[in-house]
Amino acid sequence: MSAQHQQIRIMLELQDGMNTKVTANWQAQGYEWYRAIWVECAELMDHYGWKWWKKQSPDTEQVALELIDIWHFGLSILLQSGISQEDIIARIQKELVIATDEKDFRLDLEKFAGATLVDKQFHIDLFARLMAGVDMSFDQLYRGYVGKNVLNFFRQDHGYKDGTYRKHWHDGREDNEHLVEAVQSLDASKPEFKDELYQALVTRYKK
């Protein structure tokens, strides 16, 4: 089993786990994940910049975060489709070719959003073009995805739902900042990366 195969499997398991935490039998609910994707596309466009009447420059860090959010919803569509986990992994490995011949990122984004609206599916190949447009590697997608997912779990486990969770930790910094540091300090190629990351957050939170 290749490292990428294992990392895709971990992401699928994390996504199913988070969706299940929110709604026990989520796959039977018929949630409109495609709608979440095109709304994220609009937010992403704002971060990239499209207004010709004012000076704008792409906020690539925010664009990358929006792409990671879209990946969450895309994995949910794939999991909800009913095909096996192995088939999903094989499809992602085949279709996630991170390359584009389009010089204008916004046109790739509109193509992806348009395709999503037409058939309400997740277009892995078109998503990969967006990754290429902001120079995002598979490793960056994986680190970013696992980081966001583990933080979501951590928040739920520490009172996010009942309002007792502290978003600002002991040093006054937000949990997102601690997450970035924790992710950078760990080896993402290890299968236990997600567990070590969760534990690192626990240690930082309890200080």
Side-chain angles (χ1 to χ4, degrees):
M1 185 192 297
S2 70
Q4 190 188 67
H5 184 285
Q6 190 173 53
Q7 288 172 331
I8 295 169
R9 181 176 55 75
I10 288 168
M11 289 192 285
L12 288 168
E13 287 171 358
L14 280 170
Q15 191 61 50
D16 184 45
M18 177 48 68
N19 291 354
T20 302
K21 203 172 182 74
V22 175
T23 310
N25 60 337
W26 71 271
Q27 292 196 31
Q29 301 305 310
Y31 292 136
E32 287 93 355
W33 301 103
Y34 81 94
R35 188 170 294 147
I37 288 176
W38 72 255
V39 170
E40 290 286 349
C41 285
E43 291 177 13
L44 197 160
M45 184 72 88
D46 262 344
H47 291 306
Y48 190 83
W50 59 275
K51 297 173 181 175
W52 58 88
W53 61 87
K54 64 184 280 193
K55 182 172 171 53
Q56 289 184 304
S57 54
D59 184 343
T60 48
E61 202 171 290
Q62 277 300 318
V63 168
L65 289 173
E66 297 290 353
L67 284 176
I68 288 162
D69 283 345
I70 288 171
W71 185 247
H72 280 76
F73 301 130
L75 292 182
S76 298
I77 287 176
L78 296 171
L79 286 163
Q80 194 171 266
S81 69
I83 64 175
S84 73
Q85 188 185 86
E86 283 304 310
D87 285 346
I88 294 172
I89 293 169
R91 192 173 147 198
I92 291 173
Q93 286 189 301
K94 181 185 174 189
E95 295 179 21
L96 196 73
V97 179
I98 305 169
T100 183
D101 54 0
E102 177 55 67
K103 289 182 173 64
D104 189 341
F105 175 83
R106 292 165 295 194
L107 294 180
D108 264 347
L109 180 59
E110 286 167 344
K111 185 183 282 187
F112 172 72
T116 303
L117 280 166
V118 167
D119 62 12
K120 304 178 181 178
Q121 299 303 309
F122 181 47
H123 294 265
I124 301 164
D125 56 334
L126 298 180
F127 180 84
R129 290 171 69 98
L130 297 177
M131 287 177 65
V134 291
D135 294 321
M136 179 187 277
S137 66
F138 178 82
D139 181 65
Q140 288 170 314
L141 175 68
Y142 177 69
R143 283 172 177 268
Y145 173 85
V146 174
K148 183 74 184 287
N149 199 286
V150 168
L151 179 61
N152 285 342
F153 267 106
F154 183 84
R155 285 171 170 172
Q156 291 289 332
D157 291 344
H158 291 81
Y160 203 63
K161 212 168 188 176
D162 61 23
T164 58
Y165 178 72
R166 290 178 291 111
K167 198 167 185 185
H168 290 84
W169 293 6
H170 65 94
D171 55 2
R173 294 186 302 150
E174 282 197 15
D175 53 9
N176 278 308
E177 294 177 72
H178 282 278
L179 174 69
V180 170
E181 284 181 8
V183 167
Q184 288 171 348
S185 71
L186 297 169
D187 182 355
S189 66
K190 291 164 68 176
E192 55 270 26
F193 170 57
K194 62 182 172 66
D195 301 319
E196 289 182 355
L197 180 56
Y198 188 97
Q199 200 50 52
L201 294 180
V202 169
T203 304
R204 285 166 173 263
Y205 190 65
K206 285 182 174 174
K207 279 186 180 176

